[in-house]
C-alpha cells in the first residue's frame, strides 16, 4: 500500500490507531489537511480502515456531533518496509501507543528514520502522546539505542533533525 498523493495532501504517520490515535489525533490531522496512515498491531482494525478509507468519529457532550474522518489507511507494525517508506516521506509523525509499547515503536521508527536520512535527510517532528515523564528524553534514548555507535552522521541526524514534542492529551476518550 503506497501513498498516492494525487490530492496533494500532507502525510501524517500515526503510531497507534486506538482511542487517542483515532479518537483525537486523527481529527486534528484530518482538519489540518493530512492523509493519515495509522500504524497498529490489530489486524481486524487495519483491514477495516483500509477497506473503508474513512470512519465516523462521535463526539459526545453538551452538543454531540459526528465527524467523518477521511483519507485514512493503516499498516501493520510488522511491515517495516512500508513504514520506512512512509516515514521517509512523512510531514509529521505521532505516537499514541501506551508506555509498554514505546520501545517497540522506537525500534521500528529508527528503521524508518534511517531510510529518511538516506533518502533526503529532511527534519521531522514526532509528537509524543504518551503518559510518561520526560517522554522526549526517554524516546530519544530508545531511538539512539537502535543506532550503531559508529554511525555518527545518523546519530547526529536523530539528535539535530528529529524533533521530539512532548504533548498532553486533554480529551476524554471512552473505551468503545
Amino acid at each position: 500500500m503506497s501513498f498516492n498523493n494525487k490530492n496533494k495532501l500532507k502525510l501524517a504517520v500515526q503510531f497507534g490507531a486506538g482511542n487517542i490515535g483515532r479518537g483525537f489525533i486523527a481529527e486534528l490531522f484530518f482538519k489540518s489537511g493530512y492523509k493519515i496512515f495509522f500504524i497498529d498491531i490489530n489486524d481486524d482494525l487495519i483491514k477495516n480502515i483500509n477497506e473503508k478509507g474513512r470512519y465516523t468519529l462521535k463526539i459526545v457532550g453538551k452538543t454531540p456531533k459526528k465527524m467523518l474522518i477521511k483519507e485514512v489507511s493503516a499498516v501493520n507494525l510488522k511491515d517495516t518496509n512500508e513504514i520506512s517508506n512512509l516515514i521517509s516521506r512523512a510531514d509529521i509523525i505521532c505516537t499514541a501507543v501506551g508506555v509498554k509499547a514505546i520501545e517497540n515503536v522506537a525500534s521500528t521508527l529508527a528503521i524508518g528514520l534511517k531510510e529518511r536520512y538516506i533518502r533526503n535527510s529532511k527534519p521531522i517532528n514526532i509528537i509524543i502522546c504518551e503518559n510518561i515523564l520526560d517522554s522526549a528524553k526517554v524516546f530519544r534514548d530508545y531511538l539512539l539505542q537502535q543506532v550503531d555507535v559508529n554511525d555518527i552522521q545518523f546519530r547526529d541526524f536523530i539528535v539535530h533533525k528529529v524533533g521530539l514534542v512532548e504533548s498532553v492529551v486533554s480529551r476524554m476518550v471512552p473505551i468503545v
Side-chain angles (χ1 to χ4, degrees), residues 76-148:
N76 192 297
L77 184 63
K78 295 175 191 171
D79 191 350
T80 55
N81 288 334
E82 182 63 22
I83 295 168
S84 292
N85 182 37
L86 291 169
I87 290 171
S88 73
R89 298 180 341 217
D91 295 294
I92 195 162
I93 301 169
C94 184
T95 71
V97 296
V99 174
K100 292 180 182 178
I102 289 176
E103 192 170 359
N104 288 338
V105 166
S107 174
T108 302
L109 194 49
I111 295 167
L113 290 172
K114 180 69 174 195
E115 183 70 22
R116 183 182 190 91
Y117 166 73
I118 291 168
R119 283 190 188 183
N120 59 43
S121 294
K122 286 172 44 177
I124 186 76
N125 286 316
I126 303 171
I127 303 170
I128 306 167
C129 298
E130 309 297 344
N131 187 15
I132 185 170
L133 187 62
D134 296 323
S135 60
K137 181 189 179 322
V138 170
F139 208 84
R140 189 171 316 278
D141 289 347
Y142 281 141
L143 286 173
L144 290 172
Q145 287 173 14
Q146 305 300 316
V147 179
D148 184 332

Side-chain angles (χ1 to χ4, degrees), residues 6-170:
K6 63 185 175 198
N7 297 331
K8 302 295 182 201
L9 296 171
K10 298 174 281 187
L11 171 59
V13 175
Q14 171 62 50
F15 282 86
N19 291 338
I20 301 301
R22 278 193 343 269
F24 181 55
I25 304 300
E27 175 191 0
L28 301 175
F29 285 149
F30 175 70
K31 286 179 175 179
S32 298
Y34 286 90
K35 162 74 174 163
I36 306 155
F37 273 88
F38 292 105
I39 312 299
D40 206 275
I41 59 171
N42 183 327
D43 288 326
D44 291 336
L45 178 62
I46 293 166
K47 180 181 176 197
N48 193 12
I49 289 170
N50 287 331
E51 283 177 354
K52 296 179 181 174
R54 63 181 172 261
Y55 64 93
T56 302
L57 176 63
K58 297 174 186 172
I59 300 175
V60 297
K62 288 184 179 182
T63 55
K65 65 180 179 177
K66 293 182 180 181
M67 173 182 289
L68 186 62
I69 306 294
K70 300 182 285 186
E71 301 293 343
V72 296
S73 297
V75 176
N76 192 297
L77 184 63
K78 295 175 191 171
D79 191 350
T80 55
N81 288 334
E82 182 63 22
I83 295 168
S84 292
N85 182 37
L86 291 169
I87 290 171
S88 73
R89 298 180 341 217
D91 295 294
I92 195 162
I93 301 169
C94 184
T95 71
V97 296
V99 174
K100 292 180 182 178
I102 289 176
E103 192 170 359
N104 288 338
V105 166
S107 174
T108 302
L109 194 49
I111 295 167
L113 290 172
K114 180 69 174 195
E115 183 70 22
R116 183 182 190 91
Y117 166 73
I118 291 168
R119 283 190 188 183
N120 59 43
S121 294
K122 286 172 44 177
I124 186 76
N125 286 316
I126 303 171
I127 303 170
I128 306 167
C129 298
E130 309 297 344
N131 187 15
I132 185 170
L133 187 62
D134 296 323
S135 60
K137 181 189 179 322
V138 170
F139 208 84
R140 189 171 316 278
D141 289 347
Y142 281 141
L143 286 173
L144 290 172
Q145 287 173 14
Q146 305 300 316
V147 179
D148 184 332
V149 293
N150 297 318
D151 195 346
I152 303 300
Q153 291 178 322
F154 181 47
R155 291 180 81 78
D156 284 348
F157 172 78
I158 289 177
V159 170
H160 299 292
K161 291 196 173 184
V162 177
L164 298 172
V165 182
E166 295 180 358
S167 67
V168 175
V169 175
S170 63

